[in-house]
């Protein structure tokens, strides 16, 4: 199972919106509505930001939203803030009853 | 509150095995699957496998098949991950992580650094 493909880095200015893509196949992202997104600060454990493609856990800012089209899922961060600077990973359930993470995206706030 | 407390850092020689523990509390242990995820220094997250604490069934990433074993002890609400035939590339932080029940991870352990070095 190959890792899902994410851009290595995305940047934006405070207040702007950015979108991170996560491309898989019909055997993972395209086949199930079980895509999740995680935020990770250096030296810390990841934090769940989005589950089931577009649902936010309690306590996660509504500036974070998720969507999916075909084999590509996306995470959008609106009203970018300095605290959003972190690494972001997508994840998907797969047809092999396993999970796979994305390659990770470093978000930089300019 | 949900807590996942992992065992301490390990240093192992190539070819050896390591067993990492993860004690869960604050929720019904047998109701939620547990994942193991690792992260090599400066690298991304890598899913290793999952265990059902209720029935002891497991599913492993193909990459680790034959080298990883995940088990649980319901009496102590602890899950274990054992990785054998260690090589330098296995140097990483290993996390246990609780599934929320909808194929996503909602709680993570603090991580256990495993260093493989001769």
């Amino acid at each position: 199972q190959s890792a899902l493909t994410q851009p290595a880095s995305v940047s934006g200015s405070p207040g702007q919106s950015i979108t991170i893509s996560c491309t898989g196949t019909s055997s993972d992202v395209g086949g199930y509505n079980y895509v999740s997104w995680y935020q990770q600060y250096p030296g810390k454990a990841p934090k769940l930001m989005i589950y089931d493609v577009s649902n936010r856990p309690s306590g996660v800012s509504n500036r974070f939203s998720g969507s999916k089209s075909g084999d590509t899922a996306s995470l959008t961060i609106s009203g970018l803030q300095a605290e959003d600077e972190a690494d972001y990973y997508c994840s998907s359930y797969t047809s092999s009853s396993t999970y796979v993470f994305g390659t990770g995206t470093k978000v930089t706030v300019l | 509150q949900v807590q996942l407390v992992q065992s301490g850092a390990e240093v192992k020689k190539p070819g050896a095995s390591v067993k990492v523990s993860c004690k869960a509390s604050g929720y019904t242990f047998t109701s939620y699957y547990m994942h193991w995820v690792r992260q090599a220094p400066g690298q991304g997250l890598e899913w290793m496998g999952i265990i059902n604490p209720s029935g002891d069934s497991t599913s492993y990433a193909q990459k680790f098949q034959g080298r990883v074993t995940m088990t649980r002890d319901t009496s102590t609400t602890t899950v274990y991950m054992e990785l054998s035939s260690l090589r330098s590339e296995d140097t990483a932080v290993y996390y246990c992580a609780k599934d929320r029940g909808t194929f996503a991870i909602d709680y993570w352990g603090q991580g256990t650094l495993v260093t493989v070095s001769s």
Side-chain angles (χ1 to χ4, degrees):
Chain A
Q1 181 73 50
S2 299
L4 306 175
T5 301
Q6 298 181 229
S9 63
V10 173
S11 62
S13 300
Q16 286 186 329
S17 292
I18 61 169
T19 296
I20 303 168
S21 61
C22 169
T23 302
T25 69
S26 58
S27 295
D28 38 65
V29 174
Y32 305 90
N33 288 324
Y34 294 132
V35 176
S36 308
W37 288 91
Y38 302 87
Q39 176 191 63
Q40 186 181 35
Y41 294 114
K44 301 295 186 183
K47 174 187 176 183
L48 180 64
M49 306 301 284
I50 295 288
Y51 66 92
D52 295 356
V53 175
S54 59
N55 293 297
R56 274 188 315 276
S58 174
V60 172
S61 171
N62 59 10
R63 298 185 298 104
F64 292 85
S65 62
S67 62
K68 191 185 84 167
S69 177
D71 297 341
T72 298
S74 299
L75 174 71
T76 298
I77 308 174
S78 58
L80 197 63
Q81 299 180 0
E83 67 200 50
D84 300 330
E85 187 161 297
D87 293 326
Y88 292 83
Y89 295 90
C90 61
S91 174
S92 175
Y93 182 72
T94 82
S95 60
S96 303
S97 300
T98 61
Y99 291 72
V100 62
F101 281 100
T103 50
T105 298
K106 181 176 179 59
V107 169
T108 301
V109 181
L110 301 172
Chain B
Q1 72 283 21
V2 173
Q3 281 194 304
L4 302 175
V5 179
Q6 299 182 220
S7 48
E10 303 260 15
V11 179
K12 295 293 183 180
K13 292 195 181 303
S17 297
V18 68
K19 190 170 187 177
V20 180
S21 68
C22 169
K23 180 169 176 58
S25 63
Y27 69 99
T28 303
F29 177 70
T30 52
S31 293
Y32 299 92
Y33 285 53
M34 193 77 79
H35 301 256
W36 286 91
V37 177
R38 77 177 187 179
Q39 187 169 35
Q43 302 301 308
L45 301 174
E46 184 172 31
W47 187 82
M48 298 182 69
I50 192 170
I51 182 168
N52 177 358
S54 176
D56 205 26
S57 61
T58 55
S59 176
Y60 303 137
Q62 188 171 10
K63 174 177 179 176
F64 300 102
Q65 289 275 3
R67 244 190 359 125
V68 70
T69 304
M70 296 176 186
T71 56
R72 95 300 190 221
D73 182 339
T74 56
S75 68
T76 60
T77 65
T78 302
V79 294
Y80 301 89
M81 186 284 299
E82 184 169 22
L83 188 62
S84 62
S85 302
L86 290 169
R87 36 218 189 219
S88 59
E89 310 89 88
D90 294 319
T91 294
V93 174
Y94 290 76
Y95 293 101
C96 62
K98 172 187 164 292
D99 195 275
R100 72 182 303 278
T102 64
F103 304 101
I105 293 171
D106 56 357
Y107 289 93
W108 298 71
Q110 83 275 20
T112 296
L113 175 62
V114 175
T115 303
V116 183
S117 174
S118 55

